[in-house]
Every structure is written in C-alpha cells, then in structure tokens.
Amino acid sequence: MVLEKREVRRVKLSLRHLAGGSSDETLFSLALPALSAGITAGLCLLVIEIAFGTFIFSGTLAPYSSQGIGLILFGNFAACLLIALIGGYRGTIAGLSPLFVPVMATIAATMNTDAQALFVTTACALIISAVATGTCCLLVGQFRLANMLRFIPYPVAGGFVAGIGGVVCLAALSLMGAGPGWRGAALLEPTVLWTWFPGVAYGVLLYGAVRRWGNPVILPASILLAIAAYHLALSALGISGAEARADGLLLVSTAKGSLWPALWPSDFAHVDWSAIIGQIPNMMILILIALICVIVDVAGLEAAVGEDMEWNREFRAMGLASIIAGFGGGTAATIIVSASIRSKIFRATTRLTGVIAACVVGVALLFGDGILELVPTAFVGGMLVFAGLVMLDQGLVKTRERLPRPEYAIILLIFVVIIFFGLLEGVGAGMAATMVFFAVRLSQADTIASHFTAREHRSNKFRPVPDRAILLAEGDRVQAYKLQGYIFFGSVSALADRLRKSLDGPSRPTCLIIDFSDVSGFDFSAVSVVARFVQRANAAGVRVVLSGLSEKLRFSLEKNIDPSVFSELWLESNADHSLERCEDLIIETWKAGVATMEQHASLLEHTVDDIEHYLERQVRFEDLIETLRPWLVPRNYATEDIIAGPDIQSEGLLLLLSGRASVYDSAGLRLHQCGPGDVIWPSNPAAATETTIVADESCSTMLLTPNSRRWMEKHEQGLAIELYQYLLAEHFRTEAEENTPAEEGSGD
C-alpha cells in the first residue's frame, strides 16, 4: 500500500514537472488550461495540415493524397511533441509552416519519374529534405551560429512572407477548380461557382473574424461549424456522401487503415534516385526557407510573448525534431507562432500544451483515415485562402505604415517577382535591391566624425605657458580628421574631396592627422584613396600622421604606398599621441627661428598674464610646501614607475614638485599630464573609470598621509583650510582645462 502511494506521488510529480508548475500548484489548475489550449491547437493544426497535404499531393499524386497527408501529419506530430519537450519556450506549438508548402508542392509537381515510383520518390525527397534541414539546424545550434543568420534584412523576410501568401492563395483557387484557365464569367457559372466560392468565402470571413476580434476560439469553432454547415447543405440538396466524393466535393481517402506509416521498407526499392538528384536545387531552397522560417518564427514569438529566447537552443530543438520526423517517415516542421501565442492567451505556457496538441494529431494519424472523407474540398481551399491572407496581412498590410517607402518598395518588388517568376528569383531580387539600398544609404553617411586643428583641440600633454601660446597662434598649421564607420567605394569619394581641399586651400598645413580609431572596416577603394592622398601630401611637403590603424589597414597601406613615402609616415596608436607629436614639431619650428620679431613680440604680449598667473601659482605652491613640510614625506619615482592606480596601495595625497606624470584610463588612453604644482589624488575604487598614473620622467613628490591630514584638521585648522583652498582651486583649474578643448573644438 505504501509502495502504491509512492508510485502515485511520483507520477503526480512527473506530470506537474511536465506542466511546468511548482509543487504548490494543483495538477488540475495546471492541466485544465493546457488541455483546453492543446486540444484547440491540435484540432486547428490537424485541419490545416490536411489542407496542406491535399494541396502538395494533388494532380498526378492525387491517388496518394491520404498517404501524403500521413507523411505531413507524422512530421507535425514528431515536431510538436519534441519541440514541446526540449524547446526553450513552454507552450510552443510546432507544425508544417505555410512557407514550406509551395516548395514542397513544386518538388511533388516536378518530380520526373514513372507513375509506379512517383509517390515513393516524392516522399523520399521530402524525407531527405527533412533530415538535411534538421542537420543544418542542429549544426547551427550546436556551434552557436544563430547570430550569424539573424542578419536577414526585414524587407526581404517581409517580402518573402507576402510572396508565399500570394502563392498559397493562388494555389487554393487552383485546388478548388478556379485555375489560370478560368476567366471572368466562366468563374460565375453555377457548376464552377459551387467548387470555389464556398471555400473562398469561408477563408475570407475567417480571416476577417480573426483580424477583427482575435479570439482564439474563433478558428476551432469555425472549423466545426463550417464542416457541419457544408454537410447540412449537401443533405438538403439530396447529395449523398458517395456522390459528393465522386463529384470532388469531399476528400477521398486513398489509404487502407491508418495514415502512418506512409512508406514501408520494401517501398524504397522503387525510389528513382536520379529523379531525386534532379530535385536537389528545390531541396536546397527548402532548407534555406526552413532556416529563414526558424529566424522569423523565433523572432516573432520572442516579440509576441515579451521574453528573450535562446536562439541556439531553438535551432537545436528544431533540428532534432526534423531529423527524427524524417527518419520516422515525416516531413520538416517549425514553430507555429500564432498557435504558440494562444498558449499564453489560455494561460497554458506549459510543456503539457504542446504534448496534448501532438497527441491530437497522433490520434488522427493512427485512427483517422475516415476523418478525411468528412472534409469538404472547398473547406481545404478555404483554409489555404485563410493561411495565405494571414501571410499577406503580415507581409504587406502591417508593414505599410511601419516601414519607410524605399524599404516597403523592396517588399512589393519581392512579392511581384515571387508571384510571376518564382521563390528563388524573388528572394534574389530582394537581396540585390536591399544591397543597393544599403550601399546608397551607407554612402550618404559622413565618414568624417570631426575636423579640428591644434589651436582648437590640444593634446593632453602638459605644456608651459609659452608653448601653449605658440600653439594658440600656430595651431591652425595642424589639421586633424577623425574618421568613423565603414569606409567603402560608396563613401570614400566624399572623404577624398575633403582631404584634397585641405591641401589645395590658401593655407596649407604643416601636419595633417588622419585618425582611424573609430573606423569599423574598409575596402580596397578606401585604401587606394588614402594611399594616393598620402603620396600627394608627401610631395607637397605636408607631414602626414596616421593614428589608430588596425594591423590589417597598416599592412594594406604599406603594400600600396611607395616604400620611401611610407617610411616618412608617422604612425601613432591614438589621436592624442599624434597631436602631441605634431605640436612638438610646430613648437620646435617656431623656436628654431622661423617666427619674426613681430611674432615674438605678439607672443610675449599674449602670454604676460598667463605667465604671471603661472608664477603666482608656483609661488603659492612652494609656500604651501614649506609650511606643510613637517607633515610631508618625500617620495621619488623613476621613469615609467606607476605612481597611483587600482593595483597600487594608496598612501595618501601626492604633491608633484618636479617631473611629468601622465594619467591613463583603463583602455590606455592618456587623459592628461601632470606637471610641477599639480596634485596626484589617491585612487578611488568606486570611481566609474579606473585611472593609472605613470611617471613620464623622474618625479619628485611630497606625500601627505591621511593621519597627518586628520591631525592638521584637529590642531592646525588654518593650515588645513589653506591646503583645501589650494586643492579646490587645482580641481576646478584641471576641470576647466579638460573641458576647454571640447568647447573650443569644431566638429563637422
């Protein structure tokens, strides 16, 4: 008795885990929504998949339509069950996507073999496609390549969906007897009208009702009502079931017993492998469409349910499901977004929902051969019309207001090409149009992020007052261009014009900096333009400095610039070092005697006030050091010693007596340079940006420890106030100097 209770408890826990609930939730509260949503989804899938199977296995394959439907339903059953169990989103419903149907129908219609081997060869081609599709998806998920496939342009995906929707609608009309040969009044003849109008009316009304009210019960309820109404109409007209099937008004079962398995091992002896080889292009298209479907479906489900999904996991689940479906004699399948969303509406986001939906399909697969004979042919066409209208709505109608006109035009282009020429041609035309559109848009982006001179934006190196005055007067002789984005043949012409104007202007620069730090990529056209400009600038006597070069770009330029010219280039790691080097050249040239007496006099006139302020600051600093000397401890640092940083234990506040020290951020970029009279603050672990201070030359400092500072605050308050006044003044002075270049600089 105890053992039986344990077994019952274990079964309940297993069911609760399958339902995705916690131990506090009752099994009934979890199972009831899953049962409702699962049965609803299963019935909808069953009818829609029957419609798809009837269309795919029509024409010369019509005598095998029941076996073909069995092939489709088993793929649906296997995919729905496995994805429900191993997929990332609980409540996922899977089945044959409408996007697969036209390609599968093309494979069936163009299979070139004799009548005896036709069905077996077609089924084998679809099974191989399912296994190949599953293998590709499994590899994508296993090697985490999903992100590489997510870059399909939205207009291409939208146009593809719209084109498939149009093809499905036309196929539905053809299936119901309104083929391309029927025109105008011929479609309205009573005998013809009865074959297609009920299905079209049902599909249009169902689409309108779902779009208007959006209630998940509409679809399954309409299925039952439509089939019942059709049979009542046949009964009222005195048409028996046998007569209706003979006249093509009801489906005719071609299977004996269950719908699965559709193939037996002995059937493979009749496979025409040469015909399958001839279908490889169509099979490759089917695999490509399957990959696109997974991307579109996962993205759509992710947006609809408001949850981030693990794409690689979904690819693995889809791949495993398609492989097992193929080896079991079924076709490929993928996530059905609309049915999966209903799981959330029913509050049935559990794995049990998908399992129940799969069971509904499985029951029909094993015992439902007689169900096919109850389905009206017009109803099958109506379901195809409904599916096609949904895709047209998603691809054409809903995107019209959201997309800019050029991108919406790409959707229309793909739609028209697919309708009149084919799927592959439509996708190819869309990709070509998208690339042209992308190239045009990218060429309009300015590759020059900013243009400035050394007068407007100085390096972070500490400069004495006279040197700063020289740069203020002569800084226009250094011009810098900071580039950005991807530079290619479409955008490089504008860059070439700007660079050319800098050489042809009235005041030719002494130095010209081109910074590539923010360049994400380039093509050979960009390399060629930069190489020609460097050689022209060198011939004009302009010193060219290139900064932030990637190793690939440096190698490409070296191969395209004359070696003697390349050897004279200055290559720096970043724009700050480039500016520093150009500033040094300008200052050295000015001091070497190039400047006139008038310029020397003007320099002295403009620097008098700055020199006076600098001397006053130095006197104040030296007086402060003398006053604080009893509480200060000398600290000396050699060149390249780390003075302060996140890994250095801080001893206190450092006052720099002599030497130079640079402050670097975590990326190694110099923020500014400290000189005599500057304060080196202790490293703050809570700061947003970690900084490291390195001695550029031998530095002599005085250390004020926290204990000494606290003693001064308690016993020498006047001295502490004098210290804090100096520190506060230094803080605002440094902040002003750091902000000055940004305020004075000009960006194009």
Side-chain angles (χ1 to χ4, degrees), residues 316-387:
R316 288 194 297 269
M318 161 75 177
L320 185 61
S322 293
I323 290 174
I324 293 178
F327 280 119
T331 56
T334 185
I335 296 172
I336 305 298
V337 178
S338 57
S340 301
I341 294 173
R342 284 198 294 270
S343 298
K344 186 171 185 178
I345 296 174
F346 278 106
R347 297 183 179 179
T349 51
T350 71
R351 300 194 184 279
L352 191 58
T353 303
V355 173
I356 292 174
C359 290
V360 172
V361 177
V363 169
L365 187 65
L366 295 177
F367 306 106
D369 181 44
I371 295 177
L372 297 181
E373 297 188 344
L374 299 176
V375 178
T377 305
F379 175 78
V380 172
M383 292 304 298
L384 290 175
V385 170
F386 168 71

Side-chain angles (χ1 to χ4, degrees), residues 9-172:
R9 189 181 299 111
R10 187 178 295 111
V11 170
K12 287 184 177 180
L13 288 174
S14 299
L15 290 173
R16 187 176 288 115
H17 176 72
L18 181 63
S22 64
S23 58
D24 296 332
E25 296 174 289
T26 64
L27 186 60
F28 179 79
S29 65
L30 295 170
L32 187 60
L35 190 65
S36 175
I39 292 176
T40 301
L43 289 175
C44 294
L45 283 178
L46 181 62
V47 176
I48 292 174
E49 303 302 320
I50 289 174
F52 290 161
T54 304
F55 169 64
I56 294 170
F57 293 91
S58 58
T60 56
L61 284 168
Y64 306 97
S65 60
S66 294
Q67 291 90 329
I69 290 172
L71 201 73
I72 301 297
L73 290 182
F74 179 79
N76 192 329
F77 164 75
C80 193
L81 180 63
L82 288 171
I83 292 178
L85 293 175
I86 64 177
Y89 177 70
R90 297 174 182 269
T92 300
I93 305 296
L96 179 65
S97 171
L99 301 178
F100 291 7
V101 174
V103 184
M104 295 172 70
T106 301
I107 293 175
T110 58
M111 187 64 69
N112 187 17
T113 186
D114 58 79
Q116 183 181 5
L118 182 59
F119 172 73
V120 177
T121 305
T122 301
C124 191
L126 296 179
I127 290 171
I128 293 173
S129 299
V131 175
T133 298
T135 303
C136 291
C137 291
L138 193 61
L139 291 175
V140 169
Q142 188 65 31
F143 292 100
R144 309 189 69 80
L145 303 176
N147 285 334
M148 297 179 63
L149 300 177
R150 296 177 69 171
F151 295 105
I152 295 178
Y154 184 84
V156 174
F160 178 74
V161 171
I164 294 292
V167 170
V168 169
C169 286
L170 294 176

Side-chain angles (χ1 to χ4, degrees), residues 395-417:
L396 282 182
V397 179
K398 292 182 178 178
T399 57
R400 185 169 58 88
E401 298 296 333
R402 294 186 300 172
L403 290 182
R405 288 184 180 180
E407 296 187 47
Y408 186 71
I410 294 176
I411 291 181
L412 292 177
L413 172 66
I414 297 173
F415 172 73
V416 171
V417 173

